[in-house]
Amino acid sequence: MPMKNSRIFRYKPAHLSFALLFCAVCLFDHPALRAQERGDSLPANIDIRADQVEGQISPLLYGQFDEFMFEGVKRGLTAELIRDRGFDEAPNAIGLPRDWGREPDHRNDDPGLHFGWDDTVYYPTGHDFPRERAEHSLRVELSEEDGQRHGIHQRGIAIRRGIPYRGYLWIRTDGITARVDVALEADRTGGQTYAFAEINNVSGDWKKYDFTLTASKSDALAKFVVSFGGKGRLWLDQVSLLPGDALDGVRPDVFQKIKALRPAFIRWPGGNVAQDYHWMWGIGPRDQRFTWTNLSWGNELEPSDFGTDEFVRLCRGVGAEPSLTVNVEGRGATVDEAAAWVEYANGSAFSRHGAMRAANGNPDSFKVTYWEIGNEIWGDWVRGHSDATTYAANYKRYATAMSGVDPSIRLMAVGDNNMDWNRTVLGNAGSQIDYLAIHHYYGAAEMGGDAANLMAHALSYERFYKQVAGLMREIVPGRTIRLAINEWNTALPLPRQHSMEAALYAARLMNVFERSDIVGMSAVSDMVNGWSGGVIQASRDDVFVTPTYLVNELYNRHLGATRLAARVRSPTFDTSKEGKGVPYLDVMVSRSSDGQNIFIKAVNTNPERSLRTVVHTGGAPVAPSAVMETINGRSMSAANSFAAPNAISTHVRTIKTGSEFVVVFPERSISVITLKVLRSRTKSDQ
């Protein structure tokens, strides 16, 4: 993902008329259909030839992308409720990291309790991979046993009534036997206790002390309290609190939203972070993993609770293929490290790194097929940045080593919207490339104050993809290379990023993907939280989905196998940067793999006028009624939010159809019509 201050685009389409849409749809401008025409609806026409197949649609087309970025993983995807559970954030004057406070509060001095941020004693890490920063624990000095509460707390813990919260603490003592109490309480001095547990006979070297707290009340802003009894010194590390309904450490509400998207694949760990990340940080026992600094996004500390094993299990749980992005020469990464990751994921349990996977509870190979070699190496905001020639040489070294471990893997190279970069990479490494990864972002700066540019911009990629396809045929003849548009979105500010306007851009771009013969994979950026466009927005206690999520869900649920011929007549509009005569109506028509359904995906980008559209279907008889699902909002700026999570939603109705029918596509709307194909009559039916 480009940094916000980067130059997002270098490919600028010529200001040509978009009266002709490439591939499956031909659009014809006509004076009678111009947007200036008055009336409740503007006229349009769709002519479908169900007996003319124009191309195949990749079953991997719609995936998702998640990154260690602004709670894209921690607290967004994962269910862990404790922040800084390893006490690694820098301390305040009394020795407590930023997410922890003294219990009960700071009103008075507490001579019986003192803290220290200790980098000499901590729960040990589990392997010898070089650390980039020191580990810590919280040292607790107990000098009085006066019957008063002495302890620490963490605020902002969202709890639900009746849910068991399972937690633990790792504690080491220095010659004392201590008592530790844990509780969930209202966040006020002397507030109500929702759950309480005692841990007695705490003594000796590092031990894990488990507890369960079942909340008597729901509270989105509760506090978790750890209080200590006894006299002497102890160390506290690796505190954890997980709700009992977490799904392998993932939030159940977020898990269900991901599963509903039916992602063909999920890309991880980045993004820019891929060029910072070392995969061995995220393997082994959870409490023995490193905390690392996220150089790409705010220098946030990242726990390694969610690593390769957890990621692959998430993918399998939602029915997605994992797609891993390896670090290329960033932050000390090497070819050997990349090859070792392939062996960890796919190697035999008797191989060196496969044995590590088996020791971590996964004796069977993960069988990860899709591997991306680097991320946006052309950008000077990533570690490992280089020119195209250097990247192509590095790609070949990495591809050779990784394929040497598992020849069955499919490899993605870093591409760009810049054709010079693509020409160099394809020319030097094309024989080892299966996918070329290109990212698309378009925001307010590129629009230049003209919102119409956003509604038209997706069409520029249709021409661009044809140019890339021609380049591939020229440079790597006979080799099939597909495009992976595995980061795309607008780059608009909030809440505009989560609006109907962004959804219309998304739908038109997804129509372009389906009309292209070269796009094999795509993923909106991001899946959860993230930069600003996460299609699932997760706070500490709530979730909502954006209109772009709704488009992803709707389109993937109606992903056809073959693209059918269709001609469209539509009113048009002019733009300041993206050309003139741009059709308001964008249509993609496909057929399901069993041949029983025809999907009409129609985007009306007109912000004010509906389109009364005559649809002709030829080449296959269709049922007299069909299901039409539509996404639209009260205005282009209408957006979902935590306060109004369903301001924009998907509406379903039944319409009359046949060989010719009329349908009205509302203003600023995305619709999918599912036509049922009738079985042809045979002599035996007569």
Side-chain angles (χ1 to χ4, degrees):
M1 173 180 291
M3 301 296 283
K4 291 184 180 180
N5 62 356
S6 68
R7 183 171 53 150
I8 296 177
F9 275 101
R10 284 180 283 174
Y11 168 69
K12 297 294 183 182
H15 291 180
L16 299 176
S17 170
F18 287 99
L20 178 64
L21 258 178
F22 299 105
C23 300
V25 182
C26 292
L27 293 146
F28 297 92
D29 191 15
H30 190 280
L33 297 178
R34 297 289 294 182
Q36 288 79 6
E37 189 174 290
R38 295 301 172 200
D40 292 338
S41 296
L42 300 177
N45 178 276
I46 304 172
D47 185 8
I48 299 169
R49 292 302 309 176
D51 55 350
Q52 295 180 18
V53 174
E54 294 199 337
Q56 304 299 310
I57 300 172
S58 169
L60 291 172
L61 191 57
Y62 296 127
Q64 294 295 321
F65 162 54
D66 208 42
E67 182 173 4
F68 291 104
M69 173 175 43
F70 303 129
E71 301 192 3
V73 176
K74 63 182 180 185
R75 298 189 287 280
L77 177 65
T78 58
E80 178 61 64
L81 295 174
I82 301 299
R83 301 179 299 280
D84 189 19
R85 64 189 199 87
F87 301 97
D88 287 306
E89 294 280 0
N92 60 19
I94 66 170
L96 286 175
R98 65 174 180 175
D99 289 308
W100 296 93
R102 192 175 71 182
E103 180 63 27
D105 49 42
H106 296 282
R107 289 173 301 159
N108 304 307
D109 184 28
D110 189 347
L113 181 68
H114 298 281
F115 305 109
W117 192 52
D118 202 329
D119 62 358
T120 62
V121 178
Y122 51 85
Y123 183 66
T125 53
H127 50 72
D128 295 327
F129 192 74
R131 295 194 302 270
E132 60 136 33
R133 62 188 312 279
E135 300 294 311
H136 298 86
S137 69
L138 181 67
R139 187 177 66 247
V140 181
E141 305 278 355
L142 303 168
S143 58
E144 292 186 12
E145 179 69 276
D146 57 5
Q148 302 301 309
R149 173 180 274 196
H150 302 280
I152 60 175
H153 64 247
Q154 189 169 119
R155 293 183 161 122
I157 305 294
I159 58 174
R160 290 165 287 145
R161 181 178 181 273
I163 297 293
Y165 290 87
R166 299 185 176 93
Y168 60 80
L169 316 95
W170 284 91
I171 303 175
R172 172 183 171 179
T173 68
D174 187 7
I176 68 167
T177 298
R179 185 188 72 256
V180 177
D181 298 333
V182 293
L184 293 171
E185 299 179 354
D187 186 10
R188 56 185 300 177
T189 302
Q192 178 184 354
T193 298
Y194 304 134
F196 175 84
E198 293 183 359
I199 303 173
N200 295 308
N201 301 315
V202 176
S203 64
D205 203 356
W206 288 110
K207 293 178 187 175
K208 183 181 180 183
Y209 296 90
D210 296 292
F211 60 85
T212 299
L213 299 170
T214 301
S216 62
K217 186 177 179 179
S218 296
D219 186 344
L221 294 170
K223 69 176 179 179
F224 171 70
V225 179
V226 182
S227 55
F228 309 101
K231 291 182 66 175
R233 178 183 297 166
L234 62 82
W235 291 265
L236 181 65
D237 204 353
Q238 300 301 326
V239 183
S240 180
L241 187 68
L242 286 166
D245 57 356
L247 299 169
D248 196 19
V250 174
R251 290 177 52 162
D253 51 356
V254 173
F255 180 92
Q256 294 304 328
K257 296 299 184 185
I258 297 171
K259 191 170 184 178
L261 285 170
R262 300 153 52 110
F265 67 92
I266 301 176
R267 177 181 181 242
W268 176 87
N272 292 351
V273 171
Q275 292 296 123
D276 295 336
Y277 186 68
H278 294 284
W279 66 269
M280 292 184 74
W281 287 342
I283 64 169
R286 179 177 189 247
D287 300 322
Q288 296 179 13
R289 300 180 187 179
F290 298 120
T291 297
W292 51 281
T293 304
N294 190 334
L295 300 180
S296 291
W297 303 107
N299 291 322
E300 278 280 310
L301 293 189
E302 298 283 354
S304 292
D305 297 350
F306 189 83
T308 302
D309 302 65
E310 290 79 12
F311 169 66
V312 171
R313 288 199 295 269
L314 169 66
C315 290
R316 302 309 185 201
V318 299
E321 287 294 316
S323 177
L324 292 172
T325 308
V326 305
N327 187 338
V328 175
E329 305 295 302
R331 209 174 187 173
T334 65
V335 169
D336 290 343
E337 181 181 337
W341 199 4
V342 176
E343 186 174 86
Y344 180 86
N346 295 356
S348 160
F350 300 102
S351 65
R352 177 187 173 190
H353 296 96
M356 294 169 64
R357 182 196 67 241
N360 293 333
N362 300 285
D364 295 332
S365 166
F366 288 147
K367 297 180 180 178
V368 177
T369 299
Y370 301 98
W371 296 80
E372 187 174 2
I373 300 180
N375 173 79
E376 293 181 4
I377 304 293
W378 41 266
D380 59 10
W381 51 84
V382 298
R383 260 58 60 190
H385 162 64
S386 73
D387 59 33
T389 301
T390 302
Y391 170 70
N394 285 331
Y395 177 90
K396 290 167 67 177
R397 293 191 301 115
Y398 277 69
T400 299
M402 293 165 66
S403 296
V405 175
D406 182 355
S408 70
I409 62 176
R410 305 295 300 280
L411 297 175
M412 303 180 203
V414 172
D416 191 14
N417 295 278
N418 182 307
M419 291 296 282
D420 291 337
W421 173 281
N422 296 334
R423 177 177 293 278
T424 299
V425 171
L426 289 168
N428 292 347
S431 63
Q432 293 176 275
I433 296 174
D434 297 302
Y435 290 86
L436 190 67
I438 296 178
H439 300 164
H440 298 327
Y441 292 96
Y442 191 80
E446 291 72 33
M447 290 162 60
D450 181 2
N453 287 321
L454 181 65
M455 292 301 97
H457 182 69
L459 300 182
S460 68
Y461 293 121
E462 211 137 20
R463 177 169 172 260
F464 174 62
Y465 297 156
K466 284 188 172 292
Q467 291 176 339
V468 176
L471 186 66
M472 290 175 177
R473 288 192 298 270
E474 171 194 340
I475 295 178
V476 200
R479 182 169 180 83
T480 300
I481 301 175
R482 310 294 294 276
L483 288 180
I485 313 299
N486 53 14
E487 284 187 38
W488 64 265
N489 211 328
T490 65
L492 298 173
L494 295 177
R496 197 174 178 185
Q497 181 84 328
H498 299 159
S499 69
M500 192 66 222
E501 181 184 33
L504 288 167
Y505 169 81
R508 179 160 240 174
L509 181 58
M510 293 168 76
N511 274 358
V512 169
F513 293 159
E514 294 199 21
R515 288 197 295 266
S516 171
D517 291 320
I518 194 175
V519 177
M521 304 171 80
S522 76
V524 65
S525 173
D526 294 273
M527 184 170 72
V528 183
N529 296 337
W531 194 14
S532 65
V535 295
I536 301 169
Q537 291 290 304
S539 68
R540 65 166 58 90
D541 67 325
D542 204 359
V543 168
F544 77 86
V545 300
T546 69
T548 301
Y549 171 103
L550 298 176
V551 174
N552 269 256
E553 189 278 332
L554 181 64
Y555 270 45
N556 203 18
R557 186 158 41 87
H558 298 90
L559 181 63
T562 54
R563 184 173 70 253
L564 301 181
R567 291 200 313 172
V568 178
R569 292 180 185 271
S570 168
T572 63
F573 62 97
D574 297 338
T575 73
S576 58
K577 291 186 175 183
E578 298 289 337
K580 301 182 184 300
V582 181
Y584 278 119
L585 182 61
D586 194 292
V587 177
M588 166 64 204
V589 182
S590 63
R591 184 168 57 209
S592 60
S593 57
D594 60 10
Q596 296 181 4
N597 297 295
I598 292 173
F599 305 124
I600 304 173
K601 295 175 177 174
V603 185
N604 178 9
T605 61
N606 192 313
E608 298 175 350
R609 309 287 290 278
S610 61
L611 296 176
R612 185 179 185 277
T613 306
V614 179
V615 182
H616 300 269
T617 61
V622 299
S625 64
V627 173
M628 178 175 175
E629 299 174 69
T630 299
I631 301 165
N632 73 328
R634 294 182 179 273
S635 67
M636 294 291 271
S637 62
N640 289 348
S641 66
F642 290 111
N646 298 309
I648 299 171
S649 57
T650 304
H651 301 278
V652 184
R653 65 189 179 101
T654 300
I655 62 172
K656 293 182 179 180
T657 58
S659 60
E660 180 175 311
F661 61 95
V662 176
V663 62
V664 175
F665 296 117
E667 60 272 25
R668 57 188 176 275
S669 68
I670 301 111
S671 299
V672 174
I673 299 172
T674 302
L675 302 175
K676 292 290 183 182
V677 178
L678 299 175
R679 185 169 63 91
S680 300
R681 298 182 66 188
T682 65
K683 290 183 178 181
S684 61
D685 296 323
Q686 300 176 357

